Amino acid sequence: MTQSITARLDEGKRWFTDLLTELPADEAARSLGEEEWSIAQHVEHLIMTERVFLLGVARSSEPMPERTAEQNEMRGKLGEYLRTGVKYVVNASSVEPSGSKDAETLLADWDKIREKLLAKLDSGTLPGPEIVVFPHPIAGPLNVGETLDFLADHLIYHRIRIEALRTP
């Protein structure tokens, strides 16, 4: 995989790590608004999403199906849409944060998952572009490259959401 994707992933993680380590625990755990997650929950969700990616890579064998016209359109706009920071709700219980983990635990968990992710990227054993890695709930099935782009844009999305919610 290219260094640009790992740089994007590292930059995104660094922003959240810096924020979480500088905030008092009670502030990191406090909701950012009505029906909004706390900063710690955003981080937990990002960790869970990276874990889903790793599981998808490990289990991937299904060929990419033909995308519908709507899926093609959404896939094309996914990164652009995520970079707007406009809130959207996705019903995906597998990445719903509990909010029960402290910053130290979250950061240790993220380091472990990210280490595994980077090792997988360096392994040369990633599935080809014709294999589904992640079934995105809105954009449909994504291959490994598309999923990595999504992960990087997903970090940006949550950063923009947090910055907007923290601005008075």
Side-chain angles (χ1 to χ4, degrees), residues 7 18-19 24 29 47 55 58 63-64 80 83 87 101-102 108 111 121-122 124 126 132 141 157:
D18 291 348
L19 179 61
I47 295 164
L55 288 171
M64 288 288 288
E80 178 183 322
R83 289 186 294 275
K87 183 177 182 175
K101 295 185 176 186
D102 62 47
D111 285 344
L121 294 179
D122 290 340
L126 293 172
V132 174
Y157 168 79

Side-chain angles (χ1 to χ4, degrees), residues 54-80:
L54 285 170
L55 288 171
V57 168
R59 297 176 180 166
S60 62
S61 63
E62 185 178 325
M64 288 288 288
E66 281 291 320
R67 287 191 176 123
T68 66
E70 183 181 13
Q71 287 171 331
N72 276 330
E73 182 178 351
M74 283 307 300
R75 170 59 201 117
K77 293 180 178 180
L78 183 60
E80 178 183 322

Side-chain angles (χ1 to χ4, degrees), residues 1-14 50-51 53-54 57 109-126 144 148 151-152 155:
M1 271 290 121
T2 66
Q3 285 188 328
S4 66
I5 193 67
T6 57
R8 288 176 63 204
L9 292 170
D10 288 346
E11 180 183 327
K13 180 178 181 275
R14 187 172 22 265
E50 287 188 17
R51 186 175 291 125
F53 167 77
L54 285 170
V57 168
D109 286 352
W110 206 352
D111 285 344
K112 288 177 193 171
I113 289 294
R114 185 54 68 86
E115 186 178 314
K116 289 177 183 178
L117 187 151
L118 294 175
K120 190 63 178 173
L121 294 179
D122 290 340
S123 73
T125 62
L126 293 172
V144 71
L148 287 167
L151 287 176
L155 288 161

Side-chain angles (χ1 to χ4, degrees), residues 126-142:
L126 293 172
E130 72 285 354
I131 302 296
V132 174
V133 169
F134 181 68
H136 192 275
I138 295 173
L142 303 178

